[in-house]
Amino acid sequence: MYTVEEVAKLLDMHPRTIRRYIREGKLSAGKVGGEWRIREEELEMFTGQAVKVIHESAKRDIESFLSEHQPEEGEKYQVCSVIDCSIRQDEAARIAQQLIVFMNEDNPARGKAKFQYFYLEEEKKSRFVLWGKPSFVGRLLTAIGEMADK
């Protein structure tokens, strides 16, 4: 059994976020002595389901891109790239954080872009999925390569 604080630390989240997940029914928990407790099985199911949902969503997005992608007005080129990295989870998280910085920059040249990252525990690898203009996705790929070489 885990406390809210222990789960928050394990998942690198704020305890309020964990309590909200419990309140919304996304994470099963019970009260013991007036405090929420999360069973290990519930935590494993919660984290596993979250990764599965993200993974399935990414697969659908990629399949949609390959089969039915319709360019937006004025859009000549759009690319999708999948990068699998056999690196430690903390290294991949560092790369993901930098990619988020690039995604959040006020850069009109970026255009419409999308980025997903998840860690596949059973395969011990990280997966990055990038969509956007070739020049922007190229910038992200270059950043991943440079960070992976460090």
Side-chain angles (χ1 to χ4, degrees), residues 64-109:
S64 171
F65 180 87
L66 293 173
S67 65
E68 17 180 282
H69 179 70
Q70 297 296 320
E72 291 185 10
E73 178 103 15
E75 177 186 79
K76 284 188 175 183
Y77 302 101
Q78 187 79 12
V79 297
C80 174
S81 182
V82 178
I83 305 101
D84 283 342
C85 305
S86 297
I87 57 177
R88 291 189 336 257
Q89 188 174 6
D90 63 320
E91 292 177 79
R94 181 179 53 84
I95 291 171
Q97 288 173 347
Q98 184 58 51
L99 294 179
I100 290 169
V101 168
F102 291 143
M103 293 295 292
N104 289 326
E105 284 178 345
D106 186 22
N107 180 356

Side-chain angles (χ1 to χ4, degrees), residues 102-103 107 109-110 113 131-141:
F102 291 143
M103 293 295 292
N107 180 356
R110 176 186 71 229
W131 292 264
K133 291 182 176 181
S135 59
F136 184 70
V137 171
R139 178 179 179 207
L140 297 178
L141 291 170

Side-chain angles (χ1 to χ4, degrees), residues 5-48:
E5 288 72 22
E6 289 169 332
V7 170
K9 188 172 182 177
L10 284 169
L11 300 178
D12 195 26
M13 295 179 172
H14 197 281
R16 281 185 288 214
T17 304
I18 302 303
R19 287 187 194 92
R20 187 182 76 230
Y21 288 157
I22 293 169
R23 193 174 51 252
E24 293 173 350
K26 294 178 181 177
L27 176 61
S28 295
K31 286 241 179 170
V32 176
E35 290 194 23
W36 289 111
R37 297 281 192 245
I38 299 102
R39 291 185 352 197
E40 185 171 13
E41 297 83 13
E42 297 295 340
L43 180 59
E44 287 174 4
M45 195 164 59
F46 173 75
T47 57

